[in-house]
Amino acid sequence: MQTAKAALSGAPLLAARPRATSSRRAAKVTPRAVAEPPTQAVPFTSDADHLAKWSSTSWRNYPALQQPAYPDEEVVKQACAEIAGFPPLVFAGECRTLQERLAKCATGEAFILQGGDCAEAFSQFNANRIRDLFRLILQMSVVMMFGGGVPVVKLGRLAGQFAKPRSANTETKDGVELPCYRGDIINGPEFTEAARIPDPWRLVKAYNQSAATLNLLRGFATGGYAGLDRVTKWNLDFMANSDEGKAYTDLAKRVDEAISFMGACGLDMNSSVMKETEFYVSHECLLMDYEEALTREDSTTGLWYGCSGHFLWCGERTRQLDNAHVEFLRGIGNPIGVKVSDKMDPSELVALIATLNPENTPGRLAVIVRMGAKKLRDNLPQLIEAVSQAGQVVAWVCDPMHGNTEEVSGFKTRRYDNIRAEVEAFFDVHEECGSVPGGIHLEMTGDNVTECIGGGAAVEDTDLSSRYHTHCDPRLNAEQALEMSFYVASRLRQRRERIAKEKEAKGNKQVLLY
């Protein structure tokens, strides 16, 4: 039970208590995520009709794709039972706050910046890498806010992005066939028979790494590191002489001057607005045993939350209406996303949105499109029209990475120009349709890698082998990601100016009517 002090402060606690047996839940002791009472930023209430046949385990009644073939299910149960007894990684109150922020992204009052590793790796886990990604996201958000004039919701692809869907169950090298690598939470990347055996205890290691990552991120976000008065100190050392680094430095100086001016006007420089930032974590809801083990009931709302991350999304390969992943996601209270490609039929998308967001709550659902530039121009307008005609509220997000993967010189890579072209197409289509571009979703790193070709970083085909460090898909390096943020800022600024002109013209017409 919460102490009076904790209840007043909204401090998250972990409590455990038995619950009565019902047709929807088995009687057992389960940790519950307890947080500050909400301002009713919930996607639905605990007695909603669509929850009548839902439980945190009801996904087990449906086909579950992309799951590992563990050699011993009893060991899986032991590992998951251990995780189920651990504290939640995130709290329900944080998820509700995020939902409020995302609701504004659906209307153009804010913009989502989601980015991070393709897949987190146990071997690459260290504080400096987490800091550098956090710092890059801060840089990009400042660029977008200053240029676009709207708040930026910062979502990291980390503290849980360990599992990866695969197009085949096996891979072959030099005539040897082995199970494919599915992410460090399942098996190892080394091409050996032993490494490719799914190990349930990797689930526990992933939890521990996620907890440590979140602990550091919370320290960075609230301990002064993210303060706007440090905006000129966020540069990554290896970018000091790049065009992108110099452009950021120039912008940071302008921000610093603006802050000095506001201070002179009497703004409190020690306020939380100036010293802290909101930062959320996200990952693909893929490995169902892990997600179930971290699903907790919130005592203030009675809703169940996926406490493995603030924002969970369903991938292109697992978004079937009659399968396990959609069944699980439709019942949790988190803000969620769904990725769609050019294969998505407009009527199917409307049905999927209705299932995942049955009460049409703003901020509940993001539709993340991943198609490639040409296919996006051909297919996105029909999707937008169908969703608009259905009266559904979603945040449209562009993932320009997954539709632009190719192989060059034996390396899986992406070309910056193709990524940029898809982002351009995304903004163009929304402008033509009169809809809202709500965010961008990037695979990127704060490291000085050479995994994607082109951009201001001038990575050539021949450079790929020099610093190709990803265990899975290629990521934008810091220079390329920052360059993208300047382009997004320019499009947000153009949109803001166009809307202002339209309002001005409309106002003038109203004046003439009198």
Side-chain angles (χ1 to χ4, degrees), residues 72-301:
D72 190 337
E73 285 297 324
E74 286 303 314
V75 181
V76 179
K77 293 178 182 178
Q78 293 172 19
C80 289
E82 188 166 323
I83 295 171
F86 290 161
L89 290 171
V90 303
F91 297 94
E94 296 171 336
C95 296
R96 288 191 287 270
T97 301
L98 176 59
Q99 181 184 306
E100 290 181 333
R101 305 295 184 259
L102 295 178
K104 294 184 177 181
C105 299
T107 59
E109 299 171 86
F111 193 79
I112 300 165
L113 170 59
Q114 186 174 7
D117 280 331
C118 164
E120 294 175 274
F122 293 160
S123 62
Q124 296 177 0
F125 174 63
N126 64 68
N128 288 344
R129 294 193 72 255
I130 298 168
R131 177 204 62 203
D132 288 350
L133 177 60
F134 179 79
R135 181 164 52 178
L136 176 60
I137 291 175
L138 289 181
Q139 285 182 319
M140 296 173 69
S141 66
V142 166
V143 170
M144 292 179 185
M145 286 190 294
F146 198 79
V150 294
V152 170
V153 180
K154 296 175 282 296
L155 276 174
R157 277 179 61 111
L158 74 171
Q161 183 57 24
F162 291 102
K164 292 296 294 181
R166 312 305 296 186
S167 56
N169 290 325
T170 62
E171 63 175 311
T172 302
K173 291 183 180 179
D174 300 324
V176 178
E177 184 179 23
L178 292 176
C180 65
Y181 169 60
R182 291 185 173 273
D184 277 11
I185 195 171
I186 296 171
N187 56 8
E190 301 82 8
F191 195 75
T192 66
E193 186 174 355
R196 294 302 173 88
I197 297 174
D199 179 5
W201 293 109
R202 285 176 171 264
L203 299 169
V204 177
K205 187 170 183 178
Y207 170 91
N208 290 330
Q209 182 170 317
S210 297
T213 299
L214 277 162
N215 182 58
L216 187 60
L217 289 171
R218 287 184 169 116
F220 283 146
T222 62
Y225 183 87
L228 281 174
D229 57 348
R230 291 180 53 88
V231 70
T232 58
K233 300 179 177 65
W234 290 341
N235 253 329
L236 297 161
D237 294 338
F238 62 83
M239 290 176 57
N241 297 318
S242 70
D243 290 341
E244 290 71 33
K246 292 175 181 176
Y248 173 77
T249 299
D250 290 342
L251 182 143
K253 289 178 180 177
R254 293 165 61 193
V255 172
D256 206 33
E257 290 170 357
I259 291 172
S260 297
F261 171 74
M262 289 187 292
C265 292
L267 180 69
D268 182 6
M269 292 292 105
N270 293 313
S271 68
S272 60
V273 173
M274 299 301 297
K275 293 295 184 182
E276 300 177 5
T277 192
E278 291 183 4
F279 192 89
Y280 302 94
V281 297
S282 65
H283 64 266
E284 181 175 356
C285 176
L286 185 63
L287 190 52
M288 296 308 301
D289 288 309
Y290 181 76
E291 300 299 340
E292 180 189 317
L294 281 166
T295 304
R296 311 290 164 83
E297 186 179 14
D298 170 42
S299 64
T300 61
T301 63

Side-chain angles (χ1 to χ4, degrees), residues 364-381:
R364 159 66 170 179
L365 183 63
V367 177
I368 308 167
V369 294
R370 41 156 294 184
M371 302 182 183
K374 185 180 184 307
K375 290 180 179 179
L376 186 144
R377 290 185 185 276
D378 293 340
N379 293 279
L380 183 56

Side-chain angles (χ1 to χ4, degrees), residues 326-447:
V326 170
E327 168 63 19
F328 175 78
L329 285 170
R330 76 180 182 88
I332 60 173
N334 306 57
I336 58 175
V338 59
K339 284 199 176 184
V340 302
S341 73
D342 59 292
K343 300 180 181 67
M344 172 62 82
D345 179 79
S347 60
E348 183 185 358
L349 178 58
V350 169
L352 183 58
I353 292 172
T355 299
L356 293 174
N357 189 15
E359 298 191 10
N360 203 24
T361 305
R364 159 66 170 179
L365 183 63
V367 177
I368 308 167
V369 294
R370 41 156 294 184
M371 302 182 183
K374 185 180 184 307
K375 290 180 179 179
L376 186 144
R377 290 185 185 276
D378 293 340
N379 293 279
L380 183 56
Q382 291 94 316
L383 297 180
I384 292 173
E385 181 181 6
V387 171
S388 177
Q389 288 183 351
Q392 294 172 322
V393 180
V394 301
W396 293 98
V397 178
C398 177
D399 170 3
M401 309 300 292
H402 288 89
N404 293 299
T405 305
E406 59 184 277
E407 186 170 314
V408 175
S409 302
F411 291 91
K412 185 189 290 187
T413 189
R414 292 155 173 159
R415 298 184 186 276
Y416 179 86
D417 287 348
N418 293 338
I419 296 169
R420 156 75 182 266
E422 184 163 353
V423 176
E424 182 177 2
F426 177 74
F427 277 96
D428 287 349
V429 167
H430 280 289
E431 183 174 343
E432 293 161 4
C433 294
S435 48
V436 177
I440 189 169
H441 182 128
L442 302 171
E443 290 187 343
M444 65 188 203
T445 175
D447 296 345

